[in-house]
């Protein structure tokens, strides 16, 4: 995997639209995320945040616009003014550089923790097993689960399973990590252990886009916070500006509801 080019955004979204039948879910998203930056996307349920993440790694096809990761157009080849969808094999290669952690852990229940982490490096990147296992054990140690390598997912707590999911994504050595509300399915007492791992990634300079309702994490870890509502980015800026001094009434109303509900 080549390193990101200095000065080039890791993610660039240009007028991205997505429609499901008669409902337009994304209504022209323009966004840039620099290499090494952490962007937190906040907003009410149904505002298009998760759909946008899924479009970034082409789990959902966009209907208009362009998405680039490290300068490469995602999911399509451009000829003249027309876009042609890539072959699934080439899309899979692109996704290998984009790690994604979902709300649900999506671990293979019939594989051990270690087997879950090495599965994609072996099958997609065709790595030597010894190399994949060595890195997987190092990643499991990093997320505090070195002693769980031989356990099956059913024997783990939700927080432990989500930390395995993070290790599994990191095993592919991605350029960009996407987190889709990674703590929303966890019991409150387990949220902290997952956020701690994510904070460690920010300190390592990992480029991350995080959909979250954890405002304390957004305030502490993000370089930029963007508030989405009804398929558009209403406003974005530094965490202190957006979370403490939002310009738009829609942002102020959302934060009042979220912060009030957690008080």
């Amino acid at each position: 995997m080549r390193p990101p080019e200095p000065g080039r955004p890791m993610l660039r979204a240009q007028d991205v639209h997505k429609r499901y039948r008669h409902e337009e879910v994304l209504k022209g998203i323009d966004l840039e995320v620099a290499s090494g930056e952490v962007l937190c996307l906040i907003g009410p349920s149904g505002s298009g945040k998760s759909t946008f993440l899924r479009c970034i790694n082409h789990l959902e096809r966009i209907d208009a616009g362009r998405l680039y990761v490290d300068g490469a157009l995602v999911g399509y080849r451009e000829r003249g003014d027309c876009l042609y969808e890539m072959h699934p094999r080439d899309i899979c290669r692109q996704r290998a550089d984009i790690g994604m952690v979902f709300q649900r852990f999506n671990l293979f229940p019939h594989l051990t923790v270690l087997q879950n982490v090495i599965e994609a490096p072996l099958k997609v990147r065709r790595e030597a097993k010894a190399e994949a296992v060595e890195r997987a054990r190092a990643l499991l140690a990093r997320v505090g689960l070195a002693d769980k390598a031989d356990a099956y997912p059913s024997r783990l707590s939700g927080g432990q399973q989500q930390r395995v999911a993070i290790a599994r994504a990191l095993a592919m050595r991605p350029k960009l990590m996407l987190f889709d509300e990674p703590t929303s399915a966890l019991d409150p007492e387990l949220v902290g252990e997952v956020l701690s791992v994510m904070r460690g990634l920010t300190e390592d300079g990992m480029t991350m886009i995080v959909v979250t309702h954890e405002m304390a994490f957004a305030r502490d870890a993000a370089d930029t916070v963007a508030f989405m509502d009804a398929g558009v980015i209403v406003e974005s800026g530094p965490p202190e500006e957006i979370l403490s001094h939002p310009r738009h009434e829609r942002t102020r109303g959302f934060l009042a509801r979220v912060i009030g509900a957690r008080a």
Side-chain angles (χ1 to χ4, degrees), residues 102-255:
F102 299 87
Q103 296 177 34
R104 295 292 175 179
F105 325 120
N106 296 332
L107 300 177
F108 296 113
H110 62 290
L111 299 180
T112 67
V113 164
L114 181 66
Q115 290 168 338
N116 266 281
V117 175
I118 67 174
E119 179 78 359
L122 294 179
K123 297 283 182 65
V124 178
R125 292 210 183 272
R126 305 293 182 184
E127 291 184 3
K129 186 173 182 179
E131 177 186 348
V133 168
E134 181 180 5
R135 190 166 65 259
R137 291 192 182 279
L139 287 169
L140 289 174
R142 179 177 180 176
V143 300
L145 295 172
D147 61 333
K148 301 295 184 182
D150 297 324
Y152 286 89
S154 62
R155 307 298 297 176
L156 304 180
S157 70
Q160 289 171 329
Q161 290 188 60
Q162 193 62 293
R163 283 185 281 156
V164 173
I166 294 172
R168 180 178 61 180
L170 292 173
M172 292 294 284
R173 292 175 290 182
K175 300 176 180 179
L176 171 66
M177 283 285 287
L178 310 176
F179 292 86
D180 187 8
E181 297 195 48
T183 61
S184 65
L186 301 179
D187 293 333
E189 65 268 21
L190 302 177
V191 168
E193 61 190 48
V194 173
L195 294 181
S196 176
V197 171
M198 293 171 64
R199 284 190 174 93
L201 295 179
T202 70
E203 293 167 4
D204 292 344
M206 172 63 73
T207 311
M208 297 164 55
I209 302 176
V210 184
V211 172
T212 185
H213 284 94
E214 298 292 337
M215 296 301 124
F217 174 82
R219 187 182 298 276
D220 295 343
D223 298 289
T224 302
V225 173
F227 172 67
M228 281 187 70
D229 191 22
V232 300
I233 294 179
V234 177
E235 61 178 311
S236 64
E240 180 64 23
E241 176 185 313
I242 301 301
L243 299 178
S244 298
H245 308 287
R247 300 183 300 277
H248 290 262
E249 181 60 37
R250 290 157 76 184
T251 314
R252 290 194 289 269
F254 169 77
L255 291 172

Side-chain angles (χ1 to χ4, degrees), residues 35-98:
S35 178
E37 183 175 308
V38 178
L39 168 70
C40 281
L41 284 174
I42 65 172
S45 297
S47 59
K49 307 182 302 296
S50 295
T51 297
F52 180 58
L53 281 198
R54 292 174 66 84
C55 289
I56 292 172
N57 65 359
H58 206 65
L59 289 173
E60 298 283 356
R61 296 178 177 89
I62 62 175
D63 294 309
R66 304 285 191 277
L67 278 165
Y68 299 87
V69 170
D70 196 21
L73 185 62
V74 174
Y76 298 92
R77 301 192 191 282
E78 193 166 16
R79 297 180 192 140
D81 294 330
C82 297
L83 295 182
Y84 299 88
E85 191 171 22
M86 290 179 173
H87 189 280
R89 178 181 59 249
D90 297 321
I91 293 171
C92 186
R93 288 196 190 103
Q94 279 195 329
R95 284 199 192 116
D97 287 336
I98 307 170

